[in-house]
Amino acid sequence: MSKFTEKTTKATQQSKPHRPITISPLSSLHCLNPTSPLTHTFKAPSFRSPMGLFLVFFLSLLSLASSASRVEQKTFIVRVQHEAKPSIFTTHKHWYESSLSSVLSPSTPTQVLHVYDSVFHGFSAKLSPTEALKLQTLPHVIAVIPEQVRYLQTTRSPLFLGLRTTDKAGLLKESDFGSDLVIGVIDTGIWPERQSFNDRGLGPIPSKWIGQCVTTKDFGSGSCNKKLIGARYFCSGYEATNGKMNESSEFRSPRDSDGHGTHTASIAAGRYVFPASTLGYAKGVAAGMAPKARLAAYKVCWNAGCYDSDILAAFDSAVADGVDVISLSVGGTVVPYYLDAIAIGAFGAVDKGVFVSASAGNGGPGGLTVTNVAPWVATIGAGTIDRDFPADVKLGNGKVVPGVGVYNGASLSPGRMYPLVYAGSGGGDGYSSSLCLEGSLDPDFVKGKIVLCDRGINSRAAKGDVVKKAGGVGMILANGVFDGEGLVVDCHVLPATAVGASNAYEIRQYIDSASKSNSPATATIVFKGTRLGVRPAPVVASFSARGPNPETPEILKPDVIAPGLNILAAWTDKVGPSGIPSDDRRTEFNILSGTSMACPHVSGLAALLKAAHPEWSPAAIKSALMTTAYTVDNRGETMIDESNGNTSTVFDFGSGHVHPTKAMDPGLVYDVTPMDYVDFLCNLNYTINNIQVLTRRNADCSGAKRAGHIGNLNYPSFSVVFQQYGKHKMSTHFIRQVTNVGDPNSVYKVTIRPPNGTLVTVEPQQLVFRRVGQKLNFLVRVEAMAVKLAPGSSSMKSGSLVWSDEKHNVSSPIVVTMQQPL
């Protein structure tokens, strides 16, 4: 498995930085020379003072500046007042270089890493804290933003989603499989030779496309075709921090040396490929969501991570090139939107009519772990599909413990039981050996045995490699308490299976009891191949990041979930399916898990919806996906949480699991204009400067603040946070507007399921539409009584609001959170 997906499928995997990569449109398409040689974090939803946060930021810069030297340089993204360029400068780049020169010492070379023109106005450069402070004082400089390093979030899914080529009508047929739409994938690049990217039967490249296919020594002129119509790479930010890349281990080109980008691109828009499988598992037809959509690959992630300056450059190029959808399976720390390069780039894209979907992150099952939470971004969590790969553990006491695994090498002898040991009992450093870290296992202790290894620190597949090197014949990968019962498949290099936390405890108990009775523990692993029709499904994946939204709890995140567990898709030829250097196997497809895999499902669906409804805005497309999503599994019950088997909540799945067929005809949509987002930012108490950084607009917030509050953004969900402060009764209201995209002369009636302990009323209770495109408003009032809570604690209750005309059900969750301040 990809090292990035390893990281993102669980917080216990070894971290890899996520980096954004961009190329100056005024420079060569190759990476600029530098001037010098995937875990999720979260915070409480407390940012409400942008000026205070800027003060803290610049006081920190002042502190650093007192001892700053050239060695302490880091990359900053600089927002500039675009129209203030003096006429003496022929280009903005020349102006930016002059601005840089004015704050640098005479002996320091001026190096602009990227110039941004499409989604952002400004540039990025490597500066010391002192230089950043000086640059901030220039009259045309609006903001100086420190760069973040980010991480990647890492078929049967089309059938599971109801996308069938045999249907005479439906989303695939109505959209012509997305044939004229372009999906830009910002990731680790692409392996263009894969059959998922063939262009057989495709028409000419859309005339609107003005992007390029950058050629290099390892990415020739024939790499692009009528399917893969664009490919770029961005590494200036990466190399500015890490020095010149090692081209023996990664490609200075759009070519994918990791596998993650190839995988996500083929999920979004891979062609039909038969036969398809990974090591004989998941046999069938592989296909992306929009099989005829065109692809453009923007490589921004490298061995050391993905850097904001490069990510922003990729957004800039993608929008300028003419993409319709941007898919970003990358995430990082949640910060205010005006300091978040992804939020900034995404706003610029949405402002140009480009739909942006991003992975919610793999920090679950804990709360407040969701990332990429800007309301103009579709934030995608992960669920399971009705397929798994059972590999059970048969213990010497006769018990059979369920697990999952993929392996096709020399198998364990049928009917034979092997000695079973816990890696942490082998002497030496018990902690390192329990995790099966490199060099931690005593060959005399594990040789010829099946070894139980705990998850954490190194990747899951790497643990199997450690066991194999030490002479072990098999491995059982044990979830910890935090991991819960969620299981992720890996293509291991020896017979191996993964078991949940409770079953891992049972195996340890068996090993301990066997040791005390002087009867050695034994076991074997029984691989059962591919199992279809699994129930229940979908289930919210254990690793999928959860709400509430740590930045703006009034906006429910994630928005929806989509298939993200054990997904088959195309793979690079650079590394084996385990992602381990010693793995010399090569495969056309691989099975990966993560919100990285869920995100491109929605990206492809968005392309289909855009093709079927070219007049829809990005917000309308997201609304269609959200209001038609479902929350019940294939048993007819509310989806469960994989981590503990309990019923899941709106903080786990948002509006629910995507339902593509219904999304094509949602009846009503909640549309949002860029100016609506500006009003939202005003109600966040952002300064005019903050808003200009994000939106490139000079905002007048007086009207927005008179009109309402944060929750009045025309979002397809309703979320309110009540601070009790000793109050007995609290209330708020929401104003919403829906647009009729269904039938003329339709009447919608409202059904309310209020959260427990609340009173919810809607005015009017009936909406009468005379024509398609007509817009009508309604008001929702929510009243809640105080509940008994400990200081600093909170409680959440959810309900729903549904508009129905007997043909369409337009559903929105209602979330009421009660907080007791300290």
Side-chain angles (χ1 to χ4, degrees), residues 430-478:
Y431 176 71
S432 296
S433 59
S434 70
L435 296 168
C436 296
L437 302 182
E438 188 68 36
S440 67
L441 299 183
D442 180 357
D444 293 335
F445 178 66
V446 304
K447 187 175 182 180
K449 301 172 184 176
I450 294 176
V451 182
L452 179 69
C453 298
D454 292 334
R455 284 181 63 172
I457 308 298
N458 58 339
S459 74
R460 298 181 298 270
K463 295 177 189 294
D465 194 43
V466 171
V467 171
K468 183 178 181 181
K469 289 176 182 176
V473 297
M475 178 185 69
I476 302 170
L477 186 64

Side-chain angles (χ1 to χ4, degrees), residues 8 78 89 124 156 180 235 355 370 385 388 480 504 557 598 623 668 723 726 735 778 784:
T8 57
V78 184
F89 297 104
S124 55
R156 180 171 172 80
D180 286 331
C235 59
F355 181 92
V370 64
I385 61 175
D388 66 8
K557 292 286 182 171
S623 174
L668 306 175
Q723 302 284 346
I735 300 171
F778 64 93

Side-chain angles (χ1 to χ4, degrees), residues 195-241:
Q195 283 303 303
S196 295
F197 310 126
N198 78 75
D199 66 354
R200 289 189 295 273
L202 289 181
I205 293 171
S207 58
K208 67 179 180 181
W209 179 250
I210 58 172
Q212 296 189 25
C213 186
V214 178
T215 60
T216 68
K217 62 182 179 181
D218 51 56
F219 201 86
S221 58
S223 298
C224 290
N225 54 22
K226 290 184 290 185
K227 176 66 176 179
L228 178 62
I229 63 174
R232 299 178 186 264
Y233 65 101
F234 307 86
C235 59
S236 295
Y238 165 54
E239 292 190 318
T241 297

Side-chain angles (χ1 to χ4, degrees), residues 557-813:
K557 292 286 182 171
D559 291 307
V560 291
I561 64 171
L565 184 71
N566 303 332
I567 303 301
L568 178 78
W571 188 242
T572 179
D573 213 36
K574 175 70 172 178
V575 295
S578 70
I580 298 172
S582 63
D583 187 359
D584 58 5
R585 298 172 296 179
R586 294 296 181 267
T587 179
E588 179 93 3
F589 297 92
N590 201 2
I591 297 170
L592 301 185
S593 297
T595 55
S596 280
M597 285 66 249
C599 170
H601 278 89
V602 172
S603 305
L605 295 178
L608 295 179
L609 291 172
K610 184 70 173 177
H613 301 283
E615 74 282 4
W616 282 8
S617 70
I621 293 171
K622 183 164 71 167
S623 174
L625 290 166
M626 291 173 65
T627 61
T628 59
Y630 61 91
T631 60
V632 297
D633 58 30
N634 54 7
R635 304 170 304 170
E637 301 177 18
T638 301
M639 290 185 290
I640 64 171
D641 182 340
E642 186 192 30
S643 69
N644 54 28
N646 295 333
T647 300
S648 56
T649 73
V650 290
F651 285 162
D652 304 326
F653 54 67
S655 292
H657 192 287
V658 291
H659 194 309
T661 303
K662 288 188 175 180
M664 185 181 69
D665 183 19
L668 306 175
V669 294
Y670 294 78
D671 209 353
V672 186
T673 69
M675 286 309 300
D676 292 331
Y677 292 126
V678 171
D679 289 346
F680 164 80
L681 298 172
C682 288
N683 284 312
L684 273 177
N685 292 322
Y686 277 19
T687 67
I688 300 303
N689 186 79
N690 299 153
I691 296 171
Q692 192 174 16
V693 169
L694 261 168
T695 68
R696 298 172 297 162
R697 287 173 167 83
N698 293 314
D700 178 4
C701 287
S702 57
K705 291 181 178 179
R706 286 196 305 269
H709 53 83
I710 301 169
N712 272 344
L713 179 69
N714 200 40
Y715 216 67
S717 59
F718 302 84
S719 178
V720 59
V721 179
F722 287 126
Q723 302 284 346
Q724 298 196 147
Y725 290 114
K727 299 175 185 176
H728 179 65
K729 184 178 180 180
M730 291 142 288
S731 66
T732 191
H733 72 278
F734 301 93
I735 300 171
R736 292 291 190 270
Q737 181 183 84
V738 286
T739 304
N740 181 23
V741 295
D743 303 318
N745 300 313
S746 55
V747 178
Y748 285 81
K749 297 180 180 180
V750 71
T751 301
I752 305 165
R753 184 174 62 84
N756 289 341
T758 70
L759 174 65
V760 179
T761 58
V762 177
E763 297 177 10
Q765 296 186 10
Q766 180 173 287
L767 298 175
V768 180
F769 292 94
R770 301 304 180 196
R771 65 183 186 279
V772 175
Q774 184 179 355
K775 301 176 186 293
L776 292 176
N777 295 342
F778 64 93
L779 175 72
V780 180
R781 287 190 176 90
V782 179
E783 298 179 8
M785 305 299 292
V787 296
K788 188 174 182 179
L789 293 171
S793 63
S794 64
S795 70
M796 182 276 289
K797 301 293 182 181
S798 66
S800 64
L801 182 156
V802 181
W803 289 104
S804 177
D805 68 346
E806 298 184 356
K807 176 182 178 182
H808 308 93
N809 291 311
V810 187
S811 182
S812 297

Side-chain angles (χ1 to χ4, degrees), residues 71-92:
V71 178
E72 295 172 320
Q73 283 186 318
K74 66 169 294 180
T75 299
F76 290 84
I77 298 169
V78 184
R79 172 70 168 87
V80 175
Q81 191 173 344
H82 193 257
E83 62 275 10
K85 180 182 74 68
S87 58
I88 190 174
F89 297 104
T90 55
T91 68
H92 279 84

Side-chain angles (χ1 to χ4, degrees), residues 107-130:
S107 61
T108 304
T110 301
Q111 177 77 51
V112 171
L113 299 177
H114 295 295
V115 171
Y116 310 109
D117 278 331
S118 298
V119 300
F120 185 79
H121 291 151
F123 64 96
S124 55
K126 198 171 182 183
L127 302 166
S128 71
T130 300

